[in-house]
């Protein structure tokens, strides 16, 4: 593994956005911290390390709370 040194986290965010969908915790218009997708509009926005924690953890954001494992209808799976 090769270590890299960067001056600002915004550089890493933009590098990752080239090939991936990047989500980060950021305050919305009402000041509530939510998971938001980093987009072109936020390109010049500085990374806010002091934004706080979102209302929900990353696991509940990326994975559904419930998932259908099987369905039983009219006597058939």
């Amino acid at each position: 593994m090769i270590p890299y040194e960067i001056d600002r986290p915004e550089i890493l965010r933009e590098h990752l956005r080239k090939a991936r969908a990047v989500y980060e915790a950021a305050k919305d218009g009402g000041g509530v911290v939510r998971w938001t997708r980093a987009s072109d509009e936020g390109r010049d926005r500085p990374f806010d390390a002091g934004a706080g924690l979102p209302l929900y953890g990353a696991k509940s954001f990326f994975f559904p709370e419930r998932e259908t494992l099987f369905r039983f209808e009219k006597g058939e799976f």
Side-chain angles (χ1 to χ4, degrees):
M1 181 173 7
I2 301 171
Y4 292 94
E5 194 171 314
I6 59 172
D7 297 328
R8 300 181 343 262
E10 295 85 2
I11 296 169
L12 176 61
R13 177 178 59 195
E14 290 310 309
H15 174 74
L16 293 173
R17 278 189 62 249
K18 292 177 183 175
R20 304 278 188 258
V22 176
Y23 290 84
E24 60 187 341
K27 291 182 182 178
D28 65 8
V32 178
V33 180
R34 301 182 188 276
W35 289 106
T36 57
R37 186 171 181 168
S39 63
D40 288 335
E41 294 82 34
R43 171 176 271 164
D44 298 327
R45 181 175 43 84
F47 179 75
D48 186 6
L53 297 174
L55 294 173
Y56 304 99
K59 183 177 178 181
S60 63
F61 177 76
F62 290 106
F63 298 101
E65 186 174 319
R66 295 183 179 179
E67 183 176 344
T68 303
L69 299 178
F70 62 88
R71 191 177 306 249
F72 187 79
E73 291 182 14
K74 299 179 183 176
E76 295 183 9
F77 282 98

